[in-house]
Amino acid sequence: GQQLNQSPQSMFIQEGEDVSMNCTSSSIFNTWLWYKQDPGEGPVLLIALYKAGELTSNGRLTAQFGITRKDSFLNISASIPSDVGIYFCAGATPNTGNQFYFGTGTSLTVIP
Amino acid sequence: GAVVSQHPSWVICKSGTSVKIECRSLDFQATTMFWYRQFPKQSLMLMATSNEGSKATYEQGVEKDKFLINHASLTLSTLTVTSAHPEDSSFYICSARERSLNEQFFGPGTRLTVL
């Protein structure tokens, strides 16, 4: 199936720094989701976006639905050690029955 | 948020045996459930999509006779790995889509180890 390009692949940052990652697709999507996965666990939904240009926050996390509808961004402000994990984006379009396609993941390491 | 459970959380079995993994949506009705496989440090690989009351749709390269999926009710889907072999060892994760929302919620995953 289709896979989304996510970058960067991995990040090593100091505690307190801000983090930015993005996800791009060759297709237009009408829904973008961002998940976080801790080791040995299933992904947990962080933010859902439904409209081009939409900017949504969840605590220190902010995600945006790109106006081209082919990309999305996730920002984490003032990172803390528990932000460590793998972040996945997912996009869906009615053209494929609203099936979600997942990004390749961004591995985040926060150094205390 | 919506809760999805998986059972068991881990299983170790001998080569040649079959293993059944259950996925339940606890507080919502899931018309569609998905089964993924994930190798270490890799993304989620969709194996199959199942709609309640109908046959599952398998992704290319996934053997439907080896990975049997049953979605008997709006809250339960099962994945049976038949005649498991060591190469089937992996992390299997299910997810469920709530009927009214365009969102997917994941279970905690099942770690399968085939000896």
Side-chain angles (χ1 to χ4, degrees):
Chain A
Q2 181 173 155
Q3 200 157 55
L4 309 180
N5 294 315
Q6 213 173 317
S7 66
Q9 195 172 33
S10 61
M11 302 179 74
F12 293 81
I13 61 167
Q14 291 284 342
E15 182 178 358
E17 288 184 358
D18 296 342
V19 173
S20 185
M21 60 189 79
N22 67 51
C23 197
T24 59
S25 166
S26 57
S27 303
I28 291 174
F29 288 138
N30 66 345
T31 302
W32 284 96
L33 306 179
W34 283 93
Y35 292 88
K36 181 191 178 208
Q37 185 178 26
D38 290 327
E41 298 182 17
V44 173
L45 182 63
L46 299 174
I47 294 178
L49 303 162
Y50 298 105
K51 197 172 165 184
E54 179 181 354
L55 187 72
T56 298
S57 294
N58 178 4
R60 293 177 296 106
L61 278 62
T62 302
Q64 183 160 27
F65 194 140
I67 56 174
T68 66
R69 296 170 64 192
K70 291 184 176 182
D71 56 9
S72 180
F73 305 86
L74 176 69
N75 296 313
I76 306 173
S77 63
S79 58
I80 58 179
S82 61
D83 290 334
V84 165
I86 301 178
Y87 292 79
F88 290 102
C89 62
T93 172
N95 295 339
T96 54
N98 277 323
Q99 176 181 319
F100 280 99
Y101 296 95
F102 283 81
T104 46
T106 294
S107 174
L108 176 64
T109 301
V110 179
I111 304 166
Chain B
V3 180
V4 177
S5 71
Q6 251 179 273
H7 178 79
S9 55
W10 59 270
V11 56
I12 301 173
C13 69
K14 291 183 179 179
S15 186
T17 61
S18 294
V19 174
K20 180 187 279 189
I21 303 171
E22 290 187 353
C23 177
R24 293 181 185 271
S25 57
L26 298 185
D27 52 0
F28 67 99
Q29 292 188 329
T31 50
T32 307
M33 287 186 168
F34 306 87
W35 287 95
Y36 295 84
R37 186 173 178 175
Q38 187 179 35
F39 292 105
K41 298 186 190 288
Q42 292 190 21
S43 186
L44 304 159
M45 284 176 43
L46 179 65
M47 298 174 66
T49 302
S50 75
N51 293 297
E52 185 263 337
S54 61
K55 288 185 179 178
T57 302
Y58 290 81
E59 294 297 299
Q60 195 171 11
V62 178
E63 298 175 58
K64 62 180 181 181
D65 294 329
K66 180 168 184 64
F67 299 98
L68 301 177
I69 291 172
N70 188 343
H71 191 165
S73 75
L74 285 172
T75 59
L76 173 64
S77 176
T78 60
L79 167 68
T80 302
V81 183
T82 62
S83 187
H85 291 286
E87 58 265 30
D88 298 324
S89 299
S90 190
F91 193 52
Y92 292 87
I93 314 175
C94 72
S95 72
R97 169 173 288 158
E98 188 176 17
R99 186 198 297 264
S100 60
L101 288 178
N102 196 20
E103 295 175 4
Q104 260 181 248
F105 300 95
F106 283 87
T110 296
R111 171 75 57 194
L112 171 62
T113 302
V114 184
L115 303 177

